[in-house]
Amino acid sequence: MLIVQLSDSHLSADPARHYRGVDVQKRLGSILADVVRYQPDLVVVSGDVSDDGSVESYQRAAEQLDALGCRWVWLPGNHDHPATMASVRELVPVVHPGGWQIILLNSWIENEEGGRLGEAQLARLRAQLADDDTPTLIVLHHPPVTVESAWMNEIGLEDREAFWAALDQYDHVHAVLCGHIHHERTCLQDRIPVMSVPAIAAQFVPDRPDFAVDNDAPGGFRLIRLSDKDASRPLLSSRVAYVYDD
Ligand SMILES: [Fe+2]
């Protein structure tokens, strides 16, 4: 089974509006044209679909994702407006493709760049993991790890310690996927890989104390191949695909 992770398209109500120098509407089109070649079973969009939270931006994104011809799900990032997003397409908390469980978390906090899951959602996460021991991936917008960029750590996941504590007694979570940092990174935390993905929009320069944009870096997506033959021996293989502008 093949899952594609997309993130951070930062679309606006006006399709001609650029994000930090990138024509995001055009970029989304070229990335989806590449994604479709892989014929994924599921596409997961890990937040910041919109930059302005407008219904028009979600409608355009949903139309383009529908055209992929496979199931897709999305979750909110700090730039999104979850209620508007959900009015265009439901925010589902969990999906079960091909013998796997994918849990989608909402780390959005109104008017803040950082994220938080909150005690109620963490309680639902613990209950879901206790009820269902299917091999699991967890997806959320904000990275639940410290990265090598001080500015990013200030706007990461506020309750990351509680998140890892919720996973502590289970051994069926095999990876955590996130967006928000606008570049590819892999960390290992509590023996679980945490993987981010390049943004569809502009890339942020990694490993810098201060915020900076790399206008020459391409956008991309993540391919996650999951074993679907023998669920007792879960296997995961992942890589990032970059899509260069014309
Ligand atoms: Fe973003």
Side-chain angles (χ1 to χ4, degrees):
M1 182 180 58
L2 183 66
I3 294 179
V4 162
Q5 180 195 6
L6 298 168
S7 206
D8 296 84
S9 48
H10 289 264
L11 303 181
S12 293
D14 176 1
R17 182 140 185 255
H18 290 199
Y19 171 85
R20 299 187 188 277
V22 172
D23 181 344
V24 282
Q25 196 57 55
K26 186 171 172 224
R27 180 74 77 75
L28 177 62
S30 4
I31 286 183
L32 292 179
D34 208 35
V35 166
V36 80
R37 295 192 306 117
Y38 292 91
Q39 300 189 296
D41 299 287
L42 175 74
V43 170
V44 177
V45 190
S46 54
D48 283 2
V49 173
S50 176
D51 199 54
D52 61 5
S54 61
V55 70
E56 294 88 347
S57 60
Y58 293 119
Q59 283 165 343
R60 280 203 319 280
E63 257 171 47
Q64 286 175 273
L65 289 162
D66 282 342
L68 288 171
C70 68
R71 183 167 191 199
W72 61 267
V73 287
W74 59 13
L75 56 83
N78 48 298
H79 284 272
D80 287 308
H81 188 272
T84 309
M85 200 173 177
S87 74
V88 173
R89 195 62 55 89
E90 188 187 1
L91 300 173
V92 295
V94 62
V95 287
H96 284 93
W100 282 72
Q101 166 169 245
I102 300 178
I103 297 175
L104 302 138
L105 299 176
N106 177 355
S107 53
W108 178 85
I109 315 172
E110 189 165 18
N111 297 325
E112 284 192 35
E113 285 189 284
R116 189 192 310 124
L117 295 170
E119 191 39 52
Q121 190 171 205
L122 286 166
R124 287 197 297 277
L125 173 62
R126 285 191 290 270
Q128 182 68 28
L129 291 172
D131 279 359
D132 190 336
D133 65 355
T134 308
T136 297
L137 301 187
I138 295 178
V139 192
L140 75 170
H141 181 69
H142 293 82
V145 287
T146 300
V147 296
E148 288 73 20
S149 303
W151 67 270
M152 174 53 70
N153 292 329
E154 283 169 24
I155 58 164
L157 188 72
E158 206 176 281
D159 48 1
R160 67 185 79 151
E161 281 181 29
F163 169 75
W164 290 108
L167 270 53
D168 202 31
Q169 56 183 301
Y170 304 103
D171 59 6
H172 59 291
V173 177
H174 296 284
V176 175
L177 308 175
C178 61
H180 194 52
I181 66 176
H182 289 223
H183 58 259
E184 182 274 332
R185 179 178 293 277
T186 303
C187 310
L188 194 65
Q189 172 106 15
D190 293 359
R191 299 188 183 184
I192 297 176
V194 178
M195 299 182 282
S196 70
V197 65
I200 291 167
Q203 312 306 307
F204 300 158
V205 182
D207 304 351
R208 290 251 312 215
D210 303 312
F211 174 79
V213 172
D214 182 352
N215 282 118
D216 296 324
F221 57 94
R222 181 174 284 283
L223 295 152
I224 305 127
R225 205 169 286 280
L226 302 172
S227 67
D228 50 7
K229 296 256 169 11
D230 182 0
S232 68
R233 290 182 61 235
L235 287 173
L236 181 155
S237 163
S238 182
R239 71 178 176 88
V240 164
Y242 288 97
V243 179
Y244 294 85
D245 293 332
D246 299 335

